[in-house]
Amino acid sequence: MAAFERKHKWVIRVTSVFFVFSLLAVSLVSSCASPQSAAPLTPPPGLEKIEHLVFILQENRSFDSYFGTYPGADGPPPDTALVDPVDGSLVAPYHDNNTVNRGGHHGWDAAKADVNGGNMDGFLREAYKPLDITNEPIPSSSTPDGNPRDVMGWHDYNEIPNYWNYASLYVLQDRMFSSVASCSLPSHLYALAGQSGGYIGKGPEPSAYAFPAITDLLTAAKIDWRYYVTSGKEPDPQNGHVIGSKSEQIDHPDKYTYLNPLPAFQKVQSDPNELGRLVDTAQFYSDAQAGQLPQVSWIVPSLPVSEHPPYDVREGVAYVTGLVNAIMQGPDWYSTAIFISWDDFGGFYDHVPPPKVDKYGFGIRVPGLVVSPYAKQGYIDHNTYSFDSWLRIVEERFGLRPMTHRDRNALDMIDSFDFSQRPRPPAVLSPTLEGSSYPQPPQSIEH
């Protein structure tokens, strides 16, 4: 697999040309599916106040690279340093004010090497392996200087102030782990299905998936959902909205890519009603403004606003801020919970060994944020979560059966909420590249 674990390589629509890969996908049947007799889940008290669940999944950042220095969070110990495999010097985590990063390998083999049996010391060794960007859609003007040591760099409120503001005003989760020890495509599959059918990012990418996704359960239960796919490439400087051209808006939502595997699920492809729920993110802004958010929604970025190296992290922060603001400025804010995370660690250093739950995961730790009028303020949630927890809270809220052992055993993130408090007014932040100053003043909490 090429560098960046082939993540930039767009995959064309599912067709009969890839029949052999479809057979492969059909054979990728998970051994961890839940028994059909599993009882529907029931919502914890208070969760009924949340009528809209929104999941925003960005790209390629470890927890330590974004929040390792956040006050009270589980960041690297003061004496942390890794050996540079070239000159033998010690490299400690450092403040990187360069908002365009190189990152490192982050596929299955790289993740295993980085963890190194729990020693968490393989990041520099992997980063020094060449990153082949031949034929990748990366503008040469934005390619960083190629210093592998930047996997040890971290950002803070100077580069990503709005993310730190969301942490201080709402909830930061410092034990959120990628569901699978690999790259984006398997991670997105877990976020939708609690499994990847055994695919770990090595070998040919399947062209179709036979196992069920959470969207199948939602459709069967008549729960409204949409999957928003971002086609634009640059945030509007006024509102942070990222809207593609009319042709992009038509072409992109049902195009199977590593960021958007949902079109390759057989049930989605065979059901026009489900396929029609994959829409451009331009529709999200309209839905939020009109108070017509679906009960469950996912929003996936285009590469330029994904924070995937070597794209500027500030573009991604402005984009996410625009999404959050759209909800806050619409009538659905007071009944919404927004969950923000990053699909994998991107090769960046993290010091926490991932818990082992099965042969596929967990992967290396990523940041997690919860933004809601019912979210606790300035709270660091130390519970162990993964993308399976996103599935769990959807299943609980709408009385669905868990799909695999992953979502059946996942924690539901309820600890991030206080449903006894009165819903808080929105805290709209600046959707510019500079963002809003940190910290923003805390809100008063009423019960």
Side-chain angles (χ1 to χ4, degrees), residues 5 7 14 16 19 62 87 157 230 241 253 291 299 333 423 432 438:
E5 279 63 42
K7 291 175 61 171
V14 178
S16 58
F19 178 69
S62 70
D87 63 17
Y157 60 87
T230 306
H241 293 188
I299 311 173
W333 161 250
T432 63
Y438 170 85

Side-chain angles (χ1 to χ4, degrees), residues 51-329:
E51 299 175 10
H52 310 280
L53 297 161
V54 180
F55 302 98
I56 300 172
L57 192 55
Q58 293 290 100
E59 290 282 303
N60 289 49
R61 300 288 160 172
S62 70
F63 185 89
D64 279 346
S65 71
Y66 268 10
F67 291 100
T69 60
Y70 186 85
D74 184 1
D79 59 350
T80 297
L82 299 187
V83 176
D84 186 303
V86 174
D87 63 17
S89 64
L90 291 177
V91 183
Y94 68 95
H95 183 204
D96 186 357
N97 58 15
N98 181 8
T99 58
V100 175
N101 303 127
R102 175 185 186 271
H105 296 282
H106 45 277
W108 178 264
D109 292 335
K112 296 296 184 184
D114 288 345
V115 172
N116 190 24
N119 292 315
M120 307 304 290
D121 61 2
F123 296 85
L124 280 175
R125 290 193 297 271
E126 290 299 304
Y128 270 99
K129 295 179 179 178
L131 293 177
D132 179 10
I133 59 174
T134 303
N135 298 323
E136 304 290 0
I138 302 173
S140 58
S141 60
S142 69
T143 303
D145 63 10
N147 182 5
R149 291 190 178 203
D150 89 341
V151 298
M152 299 298 291
W154 47 262
H155 299 303
D156 62 9
Y157 60 87
N158 289 286
E159 297 80 37
I160 52 172
N162 286 1
Y163 287 159
W164 277 50
N165 279 318
Y166 289 142
S168 67
L169 291 170
Y170 301 101
V171 176
L172 173 65
Q173 298 166 329
D174 70 354
R175 286 190 64 81
M176 177 75 168
F177 294 88
S178 179
S179 289
V180 57
S182 189
C183 51
S184 285
L185 179 54
S187 295
H188 280 260
L189 292 171
Y190 268 89
L192 289 168
Q195 62 163 303
S196 64
Y199 178 69
I200 58 173
K202 300 179 67 173
E205 295 172 352
S207 66
Y209 303 99
F211 48 86
I214 186 69
T215 52
D216 300 342
L217 278 64
L218 294 171
T219 299
K222 296 182 170 50
I223 304 301
D224 188 26
W225 64 270
R226 282 194 191 89
Y227 191 87
Y228 298 97
V229 181
T230 306
S231 61
K233 299 176 177 61
E234 186 175 358
D236 185 293
Q238 300 300 316
N239 56 23
H241 293 188
V242 178
I243 297 177
S245 67
K246 291 296 183 182
S247 61
E248 288 174 325
Q249 292 177 30
I250 294 172
D251 293 340
H252 279 230
D254 62 350
K255 180 181 291 184
Y256 168 31
T257 72
Y258 75 86
L259 291 178
N260 179 22
L262 196 53
F265 279 80
Q266 292 180 351
K267 181 66 166 61
V268 173
Q269 273 294 323
S270 63
D271 187 337
N273 176 51
E274 289 209 14
L275 194 60
R277 294 179 183 275
L278 280 67
V279 297
D280 193 89
T281 300
Q283 182 65 43
F284 167 80
Y285 303 116
S286 299
D287 290 344
Q289 181 180 24
Q292 295 179 350
L293 286 178
Q295 291 164 284
V296 184
S297 56
W298 295 264
I299 311 173
V300 295
S302 63
L303 275 172
V305 294
S306 70
E307 299 162 60
H308 189 304
Y311 295 100
D312 195 321
V313 300
R314 297 173 301 172
E315 300 276 350
V317 177
Y319 157 73
V320 171
T321 303
L323 297 174
V324 174
N325 285 352
I327 298 170
M328 288 185 168
Q329 294 171 321

